[in-house]
Amino acid sequence: MIKILRTDSENTDFVKLIKSLDEHLAEKHGDDHLFYDQFNKVDQIKHVVVAYENDEAIGCGAIKQYAPDTMEVKRMYTSPVARGKGIATNILTELEIWATELAYEKCILETEKRQVGAIELYKKNGYQIIPNYGQYAEIENSVCFEKEMIHIF
């Protein structure tokens, strides 16, 4: 059975999952990873979700305020052994519920064009492609998404 825990960035399971995520991205994307890594610092994130299966941490995600009405989805990851089970959708849904409870109107996010699985996940969950925002505005390898929270329930 999958258990979802709301926590923060000090959660040790979250820290371990993020380490695995960063290792995976560094191996897969080489020098590009250094650029993206500067925007993925997780210290002091107040809204983190960790998914557990049989008391083992298997996935995570976070949201942080981007604008007064907008949360940015960050650090989505599912361990390789847990992929294909809907864990990422469960995590994303919990983050969206949390954003709604906090009275945010939308969530935005960025992923790399090479992250085909992530792009499919976001589209499947109602995210729409938007122009690249903020630090990603001129980055050709980035694709950005948005979802209005008023449409999730």
Side-chain angles (χ1 to χ4, degrees), residues 5-8 46-49 61 63 71 93-104 152-153:
L5 173 71
R6 288 182 181 187
T7 185
D8 62 31
K46 299 176 189 175
H47 306 99
V48 168
V49 168
I63 50 175
M71 280 290 205
T93 299
E94 187 66 24
L95 292 171
E96 292 169 354
I97 291 168
W98 205 353
T100 301
E101 290 171 2
L102 295 167
Y104 287 89
I152 68 169
F153 302 108

Side-chain angles (χ1 to χ4, degrees), residues 11 22-23 26 34 41-43 45 49 57 59 61-62 65-66 75 99 101 106-107 113 117 125 139 145 149:
N11 178 284
D22 287 337
E23 289 169 357
L34 295 175
K41 304 304 180 208
V42 295
D43 55 324
I45 292 182
V49 168
Q65 185 176 20
Y66 182 80
R75 311 311 295 181
E101 290 171 2
K106 61 185 169 183
C107 285
K113 289 181 180 178
N125 283 282
I139 306 304
F145 289 88
M149 293 298 97

Side-chain angles (χ1 to χ4, degrees), residues 16-149:
K16 289 176 190 174
L17 287 165
I18 293 307
K19 185 174 186 254
S20 295
L21 170 61
D22 287 337
E23 289 169 357
H24 167 76
L25 293 174
E27 180 181 304
K28 189 171 185 179
H29 302 130
D31 291 341
D32 284 350
H33 177 66
L34 295 175
F35 169 77
Y36 291 102
D37 190 50
Q38 67 183 317
F39 305 117
N40 290 322
K41 304 304 180 208
V42 295
D43 55 324
Q44 300 181 18
I45 292 182
K46 299 176 189 175
H47 306 99
V48 168
V49 168
V50 178
Y52 293 87
E53 184 175 44
N54 301 322
D55 296 323
E56 180 184 346
I58 56 169
C60 63
I63 50 175
K64 70 176 191 176
Q65 185 176 20
Y66 182 80
D69 67 341
T70 306
M71 280 290 205
E72 184 178 23
V73 177
K74 303 293 286 180
R75 311 311 295 181
M76 289 287 297
Y77 179 70
T78 304
S79 62
V81 297
R83 292 183 186 155
K85 299 180 179 181
I87 306 301
T89 292
N90 291 344
I91 292 167
L92 188 58
T93 299
E94 187 66 24
L95 292 171
E96 292 169 354
I97 291 168
W98 205 353
T100 301
E101 290 171 2
L102 295 167
Y104 287 89
E105 297 174 13
K106 61 185 169 183
C107 285
I108 59 171
L109 61 90
E110 177 276 341
T111 192
E112 293 181 54
K113 289 181 180 178
R114 293 176 284 201
Q115 298 286 12
V116 176
I119 291 169
E120 290 174 8
L121 168 74
Y122 300 128
K123 286 181 176 180
K124 178 180 83 172
N125 283 282
Y127 283 77
Q128 303 295 317
I129 294 176
I130 59 170
N132 289 2
Y133 61 86
Q135 64 267 26
Y136 309 111
E138 302 297 322
I139 306 304
E140 190 174 310
N141 189 42
S142 289
V143 59
C144 294
F145 289 88
E146 174 182 279
K147 182 176 181 180
E148 298 287 332
M149 293 298 97

